[in-house]
């Protein structure tokens, strides 16, 4: 999720936590506590920039202080605010098989024979692993594929494309049981 082309969605502020201005944050960073290491974060509220301090993990959310917020009422007013960082401030991925979703959105999707079948439009994860959503350039229809090395063997961000091997239906050719 991005607001501008070079803004990367890092997380969203949730409910207030306690009475001293702490907030819960649902993060979208590989290491949840890393959200506090990016310095000032842009938000989806005009003119609002926040700096997270004292970040700690509690179960599946981050609990953080926000600079300048010291009471529950001020923390509650930030519920639902999305947090962003400029793409240029993020480190390059260490592994060749790691990617920022924002770098993949818009890439041309080609079959292994080189034929283009559309563009990457999203990378959802509904709990069973990352998917890659491809929007057909002609019809506008979208298709979901598992974002695995077997289905997406080649990602070439520099050249603006990725290769996809469309999975075959495992049940194809099997007879219906009586």
């Amino acid at each position: 999720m991005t607001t501008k082309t070079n803004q990367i969605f890092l997380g969203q502020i949730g409910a207030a936590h306690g009475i001293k201005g702490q907030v819960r944050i649902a993060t979208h960073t590989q290491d949840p506590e890393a959200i506090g290491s990016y310095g000032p974060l842009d938000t989806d509220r005009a003119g609002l920039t926040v700096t997270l301090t004292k970040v700690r993990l509690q179960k599946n959310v981050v609990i953080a202080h926000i600079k300048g917020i010291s009471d529950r009422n001020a923390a509650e007013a930030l519920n639902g605010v999305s947090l962003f960082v400029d793409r240029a401030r993020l480190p390059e991925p260490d592994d060749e098989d790691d990617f920022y979703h924002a770098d993949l959105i818009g890439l041309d999707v080609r079959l292994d024979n080189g034929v283009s079948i559309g563009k990457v439009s999203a990378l959802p994860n509904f709990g069973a692993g990352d998917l890659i959503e491809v929007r057909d350039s002609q019809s506008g229809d979208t298709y979901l594929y598992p974002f695995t090395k077997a289905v997406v063997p080649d990602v070439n961000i520099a050249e603006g494309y990725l290769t996809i091997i469309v999975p075959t239906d495992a049940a194809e050719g099997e007879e219906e049981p009586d």
Side-chain angles (χ1 to χ4, degrees):
M1 176 180 196
T2 59
T3 54
K4 304 171 199 162
T5 7
N6 38 340
Q7 292 289 300
I8 306 297
F9 178 56
L10 293 184
Q12 187 169 38
I13 298 173
H17 181 83
I19 60 170
K20 296 184 180 178
Q22 294 178 322
V23 294
R24 296 172 173 264
I25 300 174
T27 68
H28 298 288
T29 55
Q30 187 171 5
D31 170 12
E33 292 175 289
I35 195 167
S37 67
Y38 295 108
L41 299 174
D42 297 323
T43 70
D44 56 354
R45 286 203 186 154
L48 177 64
T49 300
V50 299
T51 301
L52 304 179
T53 62
K54 296 182 186 173
V55 175
R56 66 182 168 88
L57 189 60
Q58 183 177 332
K59 295 184 181 177
N60 60 347
V61 297
V62 165
I63 306 296
H65 286 274
I66 296 177
K67 187 176 180 181
I69 303 295
S70 58
D71 65 62
R72 185 173 183 87
N73 290 339
E76 286 175 346
L78 297 174
N79 191 351
V81 170
S82 295
L83 305 172
F84 301 89
V85 67
D86 190 272
R87 170 64 178 90
R89 291 176 44 204
L90 295 176
E92 288 305 315
D94 294 330
D95 188 326
E96 68 178 31
D97 291 331
D98 285 341
F99 310 97
Y100 291 115
H101 287 188
D103 293 342
L104 300 175
I105 303 295
L107 289 182
D108 189 43
V109 177
R110 300 176 186 172
L111 297 174
D112 55 350
N113 64 7
V115 173
S116 176
I117 61 169
K119 304 266 185 212
V120 176
S121 58
L123 290 129
N125 184 324
F126 300 109
D130 285 333
L131 299 171
I132 189 161
E133 181 178 291
V134 178
R135 182 171 303 278
D136 183 303
S137 305
Q138 307 282 320
S139 69
D141 292 340
T142 59
Y143 302 92
L144 292 173
Y145 301 100
F147 191 28
T148 63
K149 192 73 169 164
V151 176
V152 186
D154 183 37
V155 176
N156 193 325
I157 293 172
E159 292 187 30
Y161 75 92
L162 59 81
T163 303
I164 194 165
I165 297 174
V166 178
T168 57
D169 186 355
E172 189 174 72
E174 293 182 6
E175 291 185 28
E176 297 257 338
D178 292 326

